[in-house]
Amino acid sequence: MTDPSESHLYDEIRALLAPLQDMQRRHQQRIAAHKNADGDVIDEQYAQHEDARHDTAIEASDTLDTVITRLHLLTATPARRAFTVAVTGPGHADGERPWLFVVHATDLNDAHRGLVQLPAFQHWLLDTKTSHDYAVLVPSECHPGTRAPGSYLDLRHEQARILAERSPLPATAAPVQPANPTSRTR
C-alpha cells in the first residue's frame, strides 16, 4: 500500500492474520497426528481423528464471529482503528512506565471507555492489585496505532469477541431465488 492513510489497515490485517495462521497450524498438526505418511487416516485412530476434526471445527467456527466483528470494526463508520491506551500501574510512583493496551477505537475517549469494560483489563487490575483510582490514564502516552509487538497488551481480539457475543452483526438478506421457469402459468 502506498497511501499512508491506509497503512494502518495493513497492520490490522497482519495482527488479525497471525493468530489465525497459528490456529490453522495447530489444527493441521492435531489432525495430522492421526494420519499415516500417505495422508490417510490410521484405522485404529479414526475415532480420535474425527474428535480432532470436530474440536478444531468448533474452535474455527467460534473464531469466525470474532474475525468478522474485527473486520467490521475496521470498515465501520465512524472508522475505528487500533488505539494504544496508556495507564499507570504498579511502580508508577517509582518512575515505571505506564502499561500499554491496544483496543479498536475512534478516539482516546472511545478507547478508554472500551478498555475499562474488557474482562482482561479487569483481570489486570486484580492481578496487579491496582484499583480504578490508581489506574490513571496517561494521555501523553496514548496514540492511534501500535508500537512494536510485545510492547503492549493487545485486547482487540477480546474486544471483538465480546462485541460479537453481545450483538452479532445483522445477517445479510438471502439472495432472491429466480422464479422456476417451469412453474409459470399462462
Side-chain angles (χ1 to χ4, degrees):
M1 287 183 202
T2 56
D3 185 354
S5 67
E6 294 178 0
S7 66
H8 78 278
L9 289 176
Y10 179 73
D11 293 338
E12 290 286 344
I13 291 169
R14 280 194 336 204
L16 182 59
L17 187 58
L20 294 174
Q21 290 170 324
D22 290 341
M23 181 177 66
Q24 180 185 34
R25 273 191 291 280
R26 279 187 296 101
H27 289 184
Q28 289 172 343
Q29 289 172 347
R30 185 161 177 212
I31 291 170
H34 306 290
K35 294 183 177 183
N36 61 25
D38 294 330
D40 299 324
V41 177
I42 300 167
D43 290 337
E44 300 81 27
Q45 295 185 18
Y46 185 79
Q48 294 91 339
H49 174 264
E50 289 302 304
D51 287 345
R53 284 175 33 93
H54 178 264
D55 293 346
T56 57
I58 288 173
E59 181 184 8
S61 176
D62 290 347
T63 302
L64 183 60
D65 288 341
T66 303
V67 170
I68 290 171
T69 301
R70 279 188 74 173
L71 291 171
H72 177 72
L73 289 172
L74 293 176
T75 58
T77 302
R80 291 174 171 249
R81 61 179 295 183
F83 210 98
T84 300
V85 181
V87 178
T88 59
H92 181 71
D94 299 327
E96 292 208 19
R97 308 246 334 126
W99 286 71
L100 303 177
F101 300 90
V102 174
V103 294
H104 281 119
T106 56
D107 58 30
L108 176 57
N109 291 331
D110 184 38
H112 187 251
R113 265 191 317 275
L115 174 65
V116 298
Q117 295 175 6
L118 294 175
F121 182 74
Q122 298 299 322
H123 289 284
W124 174 81
L125 290 171
L126 291 172
D127 289 346
T128 60
K129 297 176 179 49
T130 304
S131 73
H132 280 285
D133 299 335
Y134 295 106
V136 177
L137 187 67
V138 184
S140 64
E141 296 284 329
C142 299
H143 56 84
T146 62
R147 293 185 178 161
S151 63
Y152 54 85
L153 297 171
D154 191 344
L155 302 181
R156 292 175 287 183
H157 202 68
E158 176 186 13
Q159 181 185 30
R161 180 182 49 78
I162 288 170
L163 288 172
E165 290 170 356
R166 286 184 187 159
S167 59
L169 297 174
T172 57
V176 176
Q177 296 296 321
N180 184 349
T182 59
S183 66
R184 285 189 195 153
T185 58
R186 293 186 198 228

